[in-house]
Amino acid sequence: MRSILPIGLCLVLAMPAWEKLDAEPGVEAERVSRASALDDGFGAVVISIRSEIYLDEPLDVFFLREGGDVANDADVVRFERKQGLIAFGNDTLKYKVHAYQLRPGTYRLVGHGMECPKVPAEDERCLIDAPGLFGREEISRPSRGYGVIAPTFEVRAGAVTYAGDFALTSRNTIEWSEVPSEELRQTERRLARLARAPEPVIPDEFKLKYGLFPRSYEDDLNRRY
């Protein structure tokens, strides 16, 4: 027993300083596979999340329900995209279309981040503690908060919203584009019995400008992703 305790203590001390111990902000969106699986009073949203930056941690994209408070997790929905474990290169450039069920309402993009302890405020970057040569150092991660001028989509009970694709660029911005019809075909068949909700409202400055390509990102310690 005496030999086990020192080993356990060493493992704890060796844990990376950036290990996430707290719950993530917002509520993770709940996947729905077909129209009949939609709970009463809920609507469906079809969305794709991508990234041209290689993700060494999951990317979270946050939306706030109209009338809610960003400080209240119950009012914030979180969509997540991960890098594939056995992928060669950056597989987050590929579309990954999923359907989710949400409460009715209008949802506005309010932020994105990796390892963020909270939803970042407008133009704010998430800071985390990371190990350095001389102890712990505070660094920023790909992240940003957005103001009231941002993409929105409406969810209606018993209907489906095709929200489009939201992609993280090397400019540390989320930019929107339409999902190609061939990427939507299978999901559209599964949700065909649902009425169609209005199209998303996308300000021009959030529309994808240059397409997505594998790119790197430099953090505050000049580390590249």
Side-chain angles (χ1 to χ4, degrees), residues 40-63:
D40 288 342
F42 281 70
V45 60
V46 175
I47 193 170
S48 170
I49 304 295
R50 293 192 294 158
S51 172
E52 66 179 0
I53 300 171
Y54 179 88
L55 302 178
D56 60 341
E57 294 292 341
L59 168 67
D60 294 318
V61 182
F62 304 101
F63 288 81

Side-chain angles (χ1 to χ4, degrees), residues 151-170:
T152 62
F153 61 80
E154 182 184 351
V155 175
R156 293 182 178 179
V160 56
T161 302
Y162 289 93
D165 178 73
F166 292 81
L168 173 62
T169 74
S170 59

Side-chain angles (χ1 to χ4, degrees), residues 7-161:
I7 293 174
L9 179 59
C10 290
L11 290 174
V12 171
L13 293 176
M15 182 186 299
W18 65 89
E19 189 74 21
K20 294 173 70 174
L21 300 178
D22 297 327
E24 294 181 275
V27 176
E28 186 175 359
E30 181 182 353
R31 294 266 298 273
V32 62
S33 60
R34 59 193 184 278
S36 60
L38 197 63
D39 289 344
D40 288 342
F42 281 70
V45 60
V46 175
I47 193 170
S48 170
I49 304 295
R50 293 192 294 158
S51 172
E52 66 179 0
I53 300 171
Y54 179 88
L55 302 178
D56 60 341
E57 294 292 341
L59 168 67
D60 294 318
V61 182
F62 304 101
F63 288 81
L64 175 67
R65 188 168 180 265
E66 186 178 38
D69 187 337
V70 75
N72 181 7
D73 280 347
D75 295 329
V76 178
V77 61
R78 184 179 78 248
F79 298 98
E80 185 180 88
R81 180 70 189 264
K82 297 179 181 178
Q83 170 73 20
L85 290 177
I86 58 174
F88 295 97
N90 182 7
D91 71 347
T92 60
L93 285 170
K94 299 177 181 178
Y95 292 98
K96 201 165 194 178
V97 178
H98 291 304
Y100 302 86
Q101 66 171 16
L102 297 180
R103 293 182 294 161
T106 298
Y107 292 80
R108 173 174 56 85
L109 175 69
V110 288
H112 75 269
M114 294 168 60
E115 300 180 298
C116 284
K118 65 181 184 68
V119 179
E122 184 175 0
D123 291 329
E124 180 186 26
R125 302 280 290 280
C126 292
L127 300 176
I128 64 167
D129 287 335
L133 293 176
F134 306 102
R136 287 168 26 171
E137 297 179 276
E138 193 174 61
I139 65 171
S140 66
R141 297 288 270 151
S143 52
R144 175 172 289 172
Y146 301 99
V148 295
I149 306 301
T152 62
F153 61 80
E154 182 184 351
V155 175
R156 293 182 178 179
V160 56
T161 302

Side-chain angles (χ1 to χ4, degrees), residues 200-215:
V201 177
I202 312 296
D204 286 341
E205 57 265 40
F206 283 88
K207 293 179 180 178
L208 187 64
K209 301 172 181 63
Y210 308 112
L212 291 190
F213 307 92
R215 299 184 190 275

